[in-house]
Structure formats: C-alpha cells, structure tokens
mmCIF file with all atom_site columns, all heavy atoms in Angstrom:
data_model
loop_
_atom_site.group_PDB
_atom_site.id
_atom_site.type_symbol
_atom_site.label_atom_id
_atom_site.label_alt_id
_atom_site.label_comp_id
_atom_site.label_asym_id
_atom_site.label_entity_id
_atom_site.label_seq_id
_atom_site.pdbx_PDB_ins_code
_atom_site.Cartn_x
_atom_site.Cartn_y
_atom_site.Cartn_z
_atom_site.occupancy
_atom_site.B_iso_or_equiv
_atom_site.pdbx_formal_charge
_atom_site.auth_seq_id
_atom_site.auth_comp_id
_atom_site.auth_asym_id
_atom_site.auth_atom_id
_atom_site.pdbx_PDB_model_num
ATOM 1   N N   . GLY A 1 1  ? 0.796  -1.218 0.000   1.00 98.00 ? 1  GLY A N   1
ATOM 2   C CA  . GLY A 1 1  ? 0.000  0.000  0.000   1.00 98.00 ? 1  GLY A CA  1
ATOM 3   C C   . GLY A 1 1  ? 0.825  1.261  0.000   1.00 98.00 ? 1  GLY A C   1
ATOM 4   O O   . GLY A 1 1  ? 0.280  2.359  -0.194  1.00 98.00 ? 1  GLY A O   1
ATOM 5   N N   . GLY A 1 2  ? 2.120  1.139  0.230   1.00 98.00 ? 2  GLY A N   1
ATOM 6   C CA  . GLY A 1 2  ? 2.998  2.293  0.283   1.00 98.00 ? 2  GLY A CA  1
ATOM 7   C C   . GLY A 1 2  ? 3.441  2.768  -1.091  1.00 98.00 ? 2  GLY A C   1
ATOM 8   O O   . GLY A 1 2  ? 3.006  2.231  -2.133  1.00 98.00 ? 2  GLY A O   1
ATOM 9   N N   . SER A 1 3  ? 4.306  3.782  -1.080  1.00 98.00 ? 3  SER A N   1
ATOM 10  C CA  . SER A 1 3  ? 4.770  4.406  -2.317  1.00 98.00 ? 3  SER A CA  1
ATOM 11  C C   . SER A 1 3  ? 6.287  4.532  -2.329  1.00 98.00 ? 3  SER A C   1
ATOM 12  O O   . SER A 1 3  ? 6.924  4.635  -1.271  1.00 98.00 ? 3  SER A O   1
ATOM 13  C CB  . SER A 1 3  ? 4.158  5.803  -2.475  1.00 98.00 ? 3  SER A CB  1
ATOM 14  O OG  . SER A 1 3  ? 2.747  5.758  -2.570  1.00 98.00 ? 3  SER A OG  1
ATOM 15  N N   . LEU A 1 4  ? 6.829  4.539  -3.524  1.00 98.00 ? 4  LEU A N   1
ATOM 16  C CA  . LEU A 1 4  ? 8.242  4.822  -3.750  1.00 98.00 ? 4  LEU A CA  1
ATOM 17  C C   . LEU A 1 4  ? 8.356  5.589  -5.054  1.00 98.00 ? 4  LEU A C   1
ATOM 18  O O   . LEU A 1 4  ? 7.520  5.413  -5.960  1.00 98.00 ? 4  LEU A O   1
ATOM 19  C CB  . LEU A 1 4  ? 9.074  3.543  -3.863  1.00 98.00 ? 4  LEU A CB  1
ATOM 20  C CG  . LEU A 1 4  ? 9.458  2.783  -2.596  1.00 98.00 ? 4  LEU A CG  1
ATOM 21  C CD1 . LEU A 1 4  ? 10.173 1.487  -2.978  1.00 98.00 ? 4  LEU A CD1 1
ATOM 22  C CD2 . LEU A 1 4  ? 10.330 3.620  -1.694  1.00 98.00 ? 4  LEU A CD2 1
ATOM 23  N N   . ARG A 1 5  ? 9.391  6.413  -5.163  1.00 98.00 ? 5  ARG A N   1
ATOM 24  C CA  . ARG A 1 5  ? 9.697  7.055  -6.436  1.00 98.00 ? 5  ARG A CA  1
ATOM 25  C C   . ARG A 1 5  ? 11.116 6.688  -6.837  1.00 98.00 ? 5  ARG A C   1
ATOM 26  O O   . ARG A 1 5  ? 12.073 7.005  -6.130  1.00 98.00 ? 5  ARG A O   1
ATOM 27  C CB  . ARG A 1 5  ? 9.557  8.573  -6.364  1.00 98.00 ? 5  ARG A CB  1
ATOM 28  C CG  . ARG A 1 5  ? 9.671  9.222  -7.746  1.00 98.00 ? 5  ARG A CG  1
ATOM 29  C CD  . ARG A 1 5  ? 9.485  10.724 -7.729  1.00 98.00 ? 5  ARG A CD  1
ATOM 30  N NE  . ARG A 1 5  ? 10.667 11.425 -7.264  1.00 98.00 ? 5  ARG A NE  1
ATOM 31  C CZ  . ARG A 1 5  ? 10.930 12.700 -7.523  1.00 98.00 ? 5  ARG A CZ  1
ATOM 32  N NH1 . ARG A 1 5  ? 10.072 13.413 -8.262  1.00 98.00 ? 5  ARG A NH1 1
ATOM 33  N NH2 . ARG A 1 5  ? 12.010 13.279 -7.050  1.00 98.00 ? 5  ARG A NH2 1
ATOM 34  N N   . LEU A 1 6  ? 11.211 6.021  -7.957  1.00 98.00 ? 6  LEU A N   1
ATOM 35  C CA  . LEU A 1 6  ? 12.514 5.678  -8.512  1.00 98.00 ? 6  LEU A CA  1
ATOM 36  C C   . LEU A 1 6  ? 12.975 6.794  -9.437  1.00 98.00 ? 6  LEU A C   1
ATOM 37  O O   . LEU A 1 6  ? 12.175 7.392  -10.146 1.00 98.00 ? 6  LEU A O   1
ATOM 38  C CB  . LEU A 1 6  ? 12.447 4.366  -9.285  1.00 98.00 ? 6  LEU A CB  1
ATOM 39  C CG  . LEU A 1 6  ? 11.914 3.151  -8.527  1.00 98.00 ? 6  LEU A CG  1
ATOM 40  C CD1 . LEU A 1 6  ? 11.992 1.910  -9.425  1.00 98.00 ? 6  LEU A CD1 1
ATOM 41  C CD2 . LEU A 1 6  ? 12.646 2.933  -7.238  1.00 98.00 ? 6  LEU A CD2 1
ATOM 42  N N   . SER A 1 7  ? 14.280 7.032  -9.432  1.00 98.00 ? 7  SER A N   1
ATOM 43  C CA  . SER A 1 7  ? 14.888 8.004  -10.342 1.00 98.00 ? 7  SER A CA  1
ATOM 44  C C   . SER A 1 7  ? 15.898 7.299  -11.232 1.00 98.00 ? 7  SER A C   1
ATOM 45  O O   . SER A 1 7  ? 16.533 6.326  -10.822 1.00 98.00 ? 7  SER A O   1
ATOM 46  C CB  . SER A 1 7  ? 15.597 9.104  -9.554  1.00 98.00 ? 7  SER A CB  1
ATOM 47  O OG  . SER A 1 7  ? 14.705 9.795  -8.720  1.00 98.00 ? 7  SER A OG  1
ATOM 48  N N   . CYS A 1 8  ? 16.033 7.827  -12.426 1.00 97.00 ? 8  CYS A N   1
ATOM 49  C CA  . CYS A 1 8  ? 17.004 7.291  -13.385 1.00 97.00 ? 8  CYS A CA  1
ATOM 50  C C   . CYS A 1 8  ? 17.724 8.495  -13.995 1.00 97.00 ? 8  CYS A C   1
ATOM 51  O O   . CYS A 1 8  ? 17.137 9.237  -14.788 1.00 97.00 ? 8  CYS A O   1
ATOM 52  C CB  . CYS A 1 8  ? 16.290 6.486  -14.451 1.00 97.00 ? 8  CYS A CB  1
ATOM 53  S SG  . CYS A 1 8  ? 17.333 5.953  -15.826 1.00 97.00 ? 8  CYS A SG  1
ATOM 54  N N   . ALA A 1 9  ? 18.965 8.690  -13.592 1.00 96.00 ? 9  ALA A N   1
ATOM 55  C CA  . ALA A 1 9  ? 19.752 9.830  -14.061 1.00 96.00 ? 9  ALA A CA  1
ATOM 56  C C   . ALA A 1 9  ? 20.690 9.393  -15.174 1.00 96.00 ? 9  ALA A C   1
ATOM 57  O O   . ALA A 1 9  ? 21.361 8.364  -15.066 1.00 96.00 ? 9  ALA A O   1
ATOM 58  C CB  . ALA A 1 9  ? 20.542 10.427 -12.906 1.00 96.00 ? 9  ALA A CB  1
ATOM 59  N N   . ALA A 1 10 ? 20.737 10.195 -16.216 1.00 95.00 ? 10 ALA A N   1
ATOM 60  C CA  . ALA A 1 10 ? 21.583 9.882  -17.365 1.00 95.00 ? 10 ALA A CA  1
ATOM 61  C C   . ALA A 1 10 ? 22.841 10.741 -17.361 1.00 95.00 ? 10 ALA A C   1
ATOM 62  O O   . ALA A 1 10 ? 22.811 11.902 -16.953 1.00 95.00 ? 10 ALA A O   1
ATOM 63  C CB  . ALA A 1 10 ? 20.817 10.115 -18.656 1.00 95.00 ? 10 ALA A CB  1
ATOM 64  N N   . SER A 1 11 ? 23.923 10.159 -17.836 1.00 92.00 ? 11 SER A N   1
ATOM 65  C CA  . SER A 1 11 ? 25.148 10.913 -18.067 1.00 92.00 ? 11 SER A CA  1
ATOM 66  C C   . SER A 1 11 ? 25.737 10.477 -19.394 1.00 92.00 ? 11 SER A C   1
ATOM 67  O O   . SER A 1 11 ? 25.578 9.330  -19.810 1.00 92.00 ? 11 SER A O   1
ATOM 68  C CB  . SER A 1 11 ? 26.155 10.713 -16.931 1.00 92.00 ? 11 SER A CB  1
ATOM 69  O OG  . SER A 1 11 ? 26.509 9.349  -16.817 1.00 92.00 ? 11 SER A OG  1
ATOM 70  N N   . GLY A 1 12 ? 26.388 11.406 -20.063 1.00 92.00 ? 12 GLY A N   1
ATOM 71  C CA  . GLY A 1 12 ? 26.980 11.100 -21.351 1.00 92.00 ? 12 GLY A CA  1
ATOM 72  C C   . GLY A 1 12 ? 26.033 11.270 -22.522 1.00 92.00 ? 12 GLY A C   1
ATOM 73  O O   . GLY A 1 12 ? 26.456 11.134 -23.675 1.00 92.00 ? 12 GLY A O   1
ATOM 74  N N   . PHE A 1 13 ? 24.776 11.549 -22.230 1.00 91.00 ? 13 PHE A N   1
ATOM 75  C CA  . PHE A 1 13 ? 23.802 11.791 -23.288 1.00 91.00 ? 13 PHE A CA  1
ATOM 76  C C   . PHE A 1 13 ? 22.596 12.490 -22.667 1.00 91.00 ? 13 PHE A C   1
ATOM 77  O O   . PHE A 1 13 ? 22.417 12.497 -21.444 1.00 91.00 ? 13 PHE A O   1
ATOM 78  C CB  . PHE A 1 13 ? 23.382 10.497 -23.988 1.00 91.00 ? 13 PHE A CB  1
ATOM 79  C CG  . PHE A 1 13 ? 22.601 9.538  -23.128 1.00 91.00 ? 13 PHE A CG  1
ATOM 80  C CD1 . PHE A 1 13 ? 21.235 9.365  -23.313 1.00 91.00 ? 13 PHE A CD1 1
ATOM 81  C CD2 . PHE A 1 13 ? 23.228 8.782  -22.148 1.00 91.00 ? 13 PHE A CD2 1
ATOM 82  C CE1 . PHE A 1 13 ? 20.519 8.478  -22.541 1.00 91.00 ? 13 PHE A CE1 1
ATOM 83  C CE2 . PHE A 1 13 ? 22.521 7.879  -21.369 1.00 91.00 ? 13 PHE A CE2 1
ATOM 84  C CZ  . PHE A 1 13 ? 21.162 7.732  -21.562 1.00 91.00 ? 13 PHE A CZ  1
ATOM 85  N N   . THR A 1 14 ? 21.772 13.068 -23.524 1.00 91.00 ? 14 THR A N   1
ATOM 86  C CA  . THR A 1 14 ? 20.562 13.719 -23.021 1.00 91.00 ? 14 THR A CA  1
ATOM 87  C C   . THR A 1 14 ? 19.378 12.788 -23.227 1.00 91.00 ? 14 THR A C   1
ATOM 88  O O   . THR A 1 14 ? 19.192 12.206 -24.297 1.00 91.00 ? 14 THR A O   1
ATOM 89  C CB  . THR A 1 14 ? 20.308 15.057 -23.732 1.00 91.00 ? 14 THR A CB  1
ATOM 90  O OG1 . THR A 1 14 ? 20.306 14.844 -25.149 1.00 91.00 ? 14 THR A OG1 1
ATOM 91  C CG2 . THR A 1 14 ? 21.398 16.058 -23.385 1.00 91.00 ? 14 THR A CG2 1
ATOM 92  N N   . LEU A 1 15 ? 18.576 12.664 -22.188 1.00 87.00 ? 15 LEU A N   1
ATOM 93  C CA  . LEU A 1 15 ? 17.493 11.684 -22.202 1.00 87.00 ? 15 LEU A CA  1
ATOM 94  C C   . LEU A 1 15 ? 16.443 11.983 -23.263 1.00 87.00 ? 15 LEU A C   1
ATOM 95  O O   . LEU A 1 15 ? 15.778 11.065 -23.743 1.00 87.00 ? 15 LEU A O   1
ATOM 96  C CB  . LEU A 1 15 ? 16.833 11.605 -20.828 1.00 87.00 ? 15 LEU A CB  1
ATOM 97  C CG  . LEU A 1 15 ? 17.562 10.779 -19.771 1.00 87.00 ? 15 LEU A CG  1
ATOM 98  C CD1 . LEU A 1 15 ? 16.840 10.882 -18.445 1.00 87.00 ? 15 LEU A CD1 1
ATOM 99  C CD2 . LEU A 1 15 ? 17.697 9.340  -20.207 1.00 87.00 ? 15 LEU A CD2 1
ATOM 100 N N   . ASP A 1 16 ? 16.278 13.250 -23.628 1.00 86.00 ? 16 ASP A N   1
ATOM 101 C CA  . ASP A 1 16 ? 15.214 13.553 -24.581 1.00 86.00 ? 16 ASP A CA  1
ATOM 102 C C   . ASP A 1 16 ? 15.580 13.161 -26.015 1.00 86.00 ? 16 ASP A C   1
ATOM 103 O O   . ASP A 1 16 ? 14.795 13.369 -26.933 1.00 86.00 ? 16 ASP A O   1
ATOM 104 C CB  . ASP A 1 16 ? 14.803 15.018 -24.498 1.00 86.00 ? 16 ASP A CB  1
ATOM 105 C CG  . ASP A 1 16 ? 15.945 15.969 -24.835 1.00 86.00 ? 16 ASP A CG  1
ATOM 106 O OD1 . ASP A 1 16 ? 17.062 15.499 -25.121 1.00 86.00 ? 16 ASP A OD1 1
ATOM 107 O OD2 . ASP A 1 16 ? 15.705 17.190 -24.809 1.00 86.00 ? 16 ASP A OD2 1
ATOM 108 N N   . THR A 1 17 ? 16.752 12.570 -26.192 1.00 91.00 ? 17 THR A N   1
ATOM 109 C CA  . THR A 1 17 ? 17.129 12.042 -27.515 1.00 91.00 ? 17 THR A CA  1
ATOM 110 C C   . THR A 1 17 ? 16.967 10.533 -27.586 1.00 91.00 ? 17 THR A C   1
ATOM 111 O O   . THR A 1 17 ? 17.313 9.898  -28.579 1.00 91.00 ? 17 THR A O   1
ATOM 112 C CB  . THR A 1 17 ? 18.575 12.416 -27.872 1.00 91.00 ? 17 THR A CB  1
ATOM 113 O OG1 . THR A 1 17 ? 19.459 11.831 -26.913 1.00 91.00 ? 17 THR A OG1 1
ATOM 114 C CG2 . THR A 1 17 ? 18.769 13.921 -27.888 1.00 91.00 ? 17 THR A CG2 1
ATOM 115 N N   . TYR A 1 18 ? 16.433 9.960  -26.506 1.00 95.00 ? 18 TYR A N   1
ATOM 116 C CA  . TYR A 1 18 ? 16.235 8.528  -26.429 1.00 95.00 ? 18 TYR A CA  1
ATOM 117 C C   . TYR A 1 18 ? 14.834 8.208  -25.896 1.00 95.00 ? 18 TYR A C   1
ATOM 118 O O   . TYR A 1 18 ? 14.260 8.997  -25.144 1.00 95.00 ? 18 TYR A O   1
ATOM 119 C CB  . TYR A 1 18 ? 17.246 7.886  -25.467 1.00 95.00 ? 18 TYR A CB  1
ATOM 120 C CG  . TYR A 1 18 ? 18.637 7.730  -26.024 1.00 95.00 ? 18 TYR A CG  1
ATOM 121 C CD1 . TYR A 1 18 ? 19.479 8.820  -26.172 1.00 95.00 ? 18 TYR A CD1 1
ATOM 122 C CD2 . TYR A 1 18 ? 19.112 6.478  -26.388 1.00 95.00 ? 18 TYR A CD2 1
ATOM 123 C CE1 . TYR A 1 18 ? 20.759 8.682  -26.675 1.00 95.00 ? 18 TYR A CE1 1
ATOM 124 C CE2 . TYR A 1 18 ? 20.401 6.318  -26.891 1.00 95.00 ? 18 TYR A CE2 1
ATOM 125 C CZ  . TYR A 1 18 ? 21.208 7.420  -27.026 1.00 95.00 ? 18 TYR A CZ  1
ATOM 126 O OH  . TYR A 1 18 ? 22.480 7.269  -27.528 1.00 95.00 ? 18 TYR A OH  1
ATOM 127 N N   . ALA A 1 19 ? 14.333 7.055  -26.265 1.00 96.00 ? 19 ALA A N   1
ATOM 128 C CA  . ALA A 1 19 ? 13.177 6.505  -25.565 1.00 96.00 ? 19 ALA A CA  1
ATOM 129 C C   . ALA A 1 19 ? 13.686 5.887  -24.268 1.00 96.00 ? 19 ALA A C   1
ATOM 130 O O   . ALA A 1 19 ? 14.806 5.364  -24.211 1.00 96.00 ? 19 ALA A O   1
ATOM 131 C CB  . ALA A 1 19 ? 12.498 5.445  -26.423 1.00 96.00 ? 19 ALA A CB  1
ATOM 132 N N   . ILE A 1 20 ? 12.863 5.944  -23.229 1.00 96.00 ? 20 ILE A N   1
ATOM 133 C CA  . ILE A 1 20 ? 13.275 5.449  -21.923 1.00 96.00 ? 20 ILE A CA  1
ATOM 134 C C   . ILE A 1 20 ? 12.251 4.441  -21.414 1.00 96.00 ? 20 ILE A C   1
ATOM 135 O O   . ILE A 1 20 ? 11.042 4.675  -21.474 1.00 96.00 ? 20 ILE A O   1
ATOM 136 C CB  . ILE A 1 20 ? 13.406 6.588  -20.900 1.00 96.00 ? 20 ILE A CB  1
ATOM 137 C CG1 . ILE A 1 20 ? 14.453 7.590  -21.366 1.00 96.00 ? 20 ILE A CG1 1
ATOM 138 C CG2 . ILE A 1 20 ? 13.785 6.016  -19.532 1.00 96.00 ? 20 ILE A CG2 1
ATOM 139 C CD1 . ILE A 1 20 ? 15.857 7.037  -21.481 1.00 96.00 ? 20 ILE A CD1 1
ATOM 140 N N   . GLY A 1 21 ? 12.764 3.348  -20.891 1.00 97.00 ? 21 GLY A N   1
ATOM 141 C CA  . GLY A 1 21 ? 11.877 2.330  -20.344 1.00 97.00 ? 21 GLY A CA  1
ATOM 142 C C   . GLY A 1 21 ? 12.259 1.937  -18.934 1.00 97.00 ? 21 GLY A C   1
ATOM 143 O O   . GLY A 1 21 ? 13.431 2.040  -18.541 1.00 97.00 ? 21 GLY A O   1
ATOM 144 N N   . TRP A 1 22 ? 11.265 1.519  -18.196 1.00 98.00 ? 22 TRP A N   1
ATOM 145 C CA  . TRP A 1 22 ? 11.463 0.909  -16.884 1.00 98.00 ? 22 TRP A CA  1
ATOM 146 C C   . TRP A 1 22 ? 11.111 -0.567 -17.006 1.00 98.00 ? 22 TRP A C   1
ATOM 147 O O   . TRP A 1 22 ? 10.052 -0.914 -17.552 1.00 98.00 ? 22 TRP A O   1
ATOM 148 C CB  . TRP A 1 22 ? 10.586 1.561  -15.818 1.00 98.00 ? 22 TRP A CB  1
ATOM 149 C CG  . TRP A 1 22 ? 11.042 2.915  -15.391 1.00 98.00 ? 22 TRP A CG  1
ATOM 150 C CD1 . TRP A 1 22 ? 10.581 4.124  -15.834 1.00 98.00 ? 22 TRP A CD1 1
ATOM 151 C CD2 . TRP A 1 22 ? 12.045 3.209  -14.411 1.00 98.00 ? 22 TRP A CD2 1
ATOM 152 N NE1 . TRP A 1 22 ? 11.247 5.144  -15.208 1.00 98.00 ? 22 TRP A NE1 1
ATOM 153 C CE2 . TRP A 1 22 ? 12.148 4.608  -14.326 1.00 98.00 ? 22 TRP A CE2 1
ATOM 154 C CE3 . TRP A 1 22 ? 12.870 2.429  -13.601 1.00 98.00 ? 22 TRP A CE3 1
ATOM 155 C CZ2 . TRP A 1 22 ? 13.036 5.253  -13.461 1.00 98.00 ? 22 TRP A CZ2 1
ATOM 156 C CZ3 . TRP A 1 22 ? 13.750 3.066  -12.740 1.00 98.00 ? 22 TRP A CZ3 1
ATOM 157 C CH2 . TRP A 1 22 ? 13.828 4.454  -12.678 1.00 98.00 ? 22 TRP A CH2 1
ATOM 158 N N   . PHE A 1 23 ? 11.979 -1.409 -16.485 1.00 98.00 ? 23 PHE A N   1
ATOM 159 C CA  . PHE A 1 23 ? 11.805 -2.847 -16.522 1.00 98.00 ? 23 PHE A CA  1
ATOM 160 C C   . PHE A 1 23 ? 12.026 -3.384 -15.112 1.00 98.00 ? 23 PHE A C   1
ATOM 161 O O   . PHE A 1 23 ? 12.608 -2.708 -14.266 1.00 98.00 ? 23 PHE A O   1
ATOM 162 C CB  . PHE A 1 23 ? 12.813 -3.477 -17.489 1.00 98.00 ? 23 PHE A CB  1
ATOM 163 C CG  . PHE A 1 23 ? 12.687 -2.967 -18.900 1.00 98.00 ? 23 PHE A CG  1
ATOM 164 C CD1 . PHE A 1 23 ? 13.268 -1.767 -19.279 1.00 98.00 ? 23 PHE A CD1 1
ATOM 165 C CD2 . PHE A 1 23 ? 11.962 -3.675 -19.850 1.00 98.00 ? 23 PHE A CD2 1
ATOM 166 C CE1 . PHE A 1 23 ? 13.146 -1.275 -20.571 1.00 98.00 ? 23 PHE A CE1 1
ATOM 167 C CE2 . PHE A 1 23 ? 11.828 -3.201 -21.136 1.00 98.00 ? 23 PHE A CE2 1
ATOM 168 C CZ  . PHE A 1 23 ? 12.416 -2.000 -21.495 1.00 98.00 ? 23 PHE A CZ  1
ATOM 169 N N   . ARG A 1 24 ? 11.571 -4.601 -14.878 1.00 98.00 ? 24 ARG A N   1
ATOM 170 C CA  . ARG A 1 24 ? 11.826 -5.217 -13.585 1.00 98.00 ? 24 ARG A CA  1
ATOM 171 C C   . ARG A 1 24 ? 12.032 -6.703 -13.753 1.00 98.00 ? 24 ARG A C   1
ATOM 172 O O   . ARG A 1 24 ? 11.561 -7.310 -14.722 1.00 98.00 ? 24 ARG A O   1
ATOM 173 C CB  . ARG A 1 24 ? 10.685 -4.934 -12.614 1.00 98.00 ? 24 ARG A CB  1
ATOM 174 C CG  . ARG A 1 24 ? 9.360  -5.597 -12.968 1.00 98.00 ? 24 ARG A CG  1
ATOM 175 C CD  . ARG A 1 24 ? 8.258  -5.140 -12.007 1.00 98.00 ? 24 ARG A CD  1
ATOM 176 N NE  . ARG A 1 24 ? 6.983  -5.763 -12.302 1.00 98.00 ? 24 ARG A NE  1
ATOM 177 C CZ  . ARG A 1 24 ? 5.843  -5.454 -11.677 1.00 98.00 ? 24 ARG A CZ  1
ATOM 178 N NH1 . ARG A 1 24 ? 5.821  -4.523 -10.731 1.00 98.00 ? 24 ARG A NH1 1
ATOM 179 N NH2 . ARG A 1 24 ? 4.721  -6.079 -11.994 1.00 98.00 ? 24 ARG A NH2 1
#
C-alpha cells in the first residue's frame, strides 16, 4: 500500500534524444 519514487539519471547523453523504459 505504500509508495516509492525511482529516479534514473543519465550521463553522457541527453534523455530527450532517447526513448526510456522501466523494466523489472
């Protein structure tokens, strides 16, 4: 029932030039 916020920080490129996915 709780919450978490995951972050994904990019280096070496800008994220808006790529599609981004979350997997588990």
Side-chain angles (χ1 to χ4, degrees):
S3 298
L4 282 175
R5 189 178 78 159
L6 305 183
S7 300
C8 172
S11 60
F13 67 107
T14 53
L15 280 176
D16 61 359
T17 62
Y18 283 74
I20 299 297
W22 286 97
F23 301 82
R24 67 185 181 185

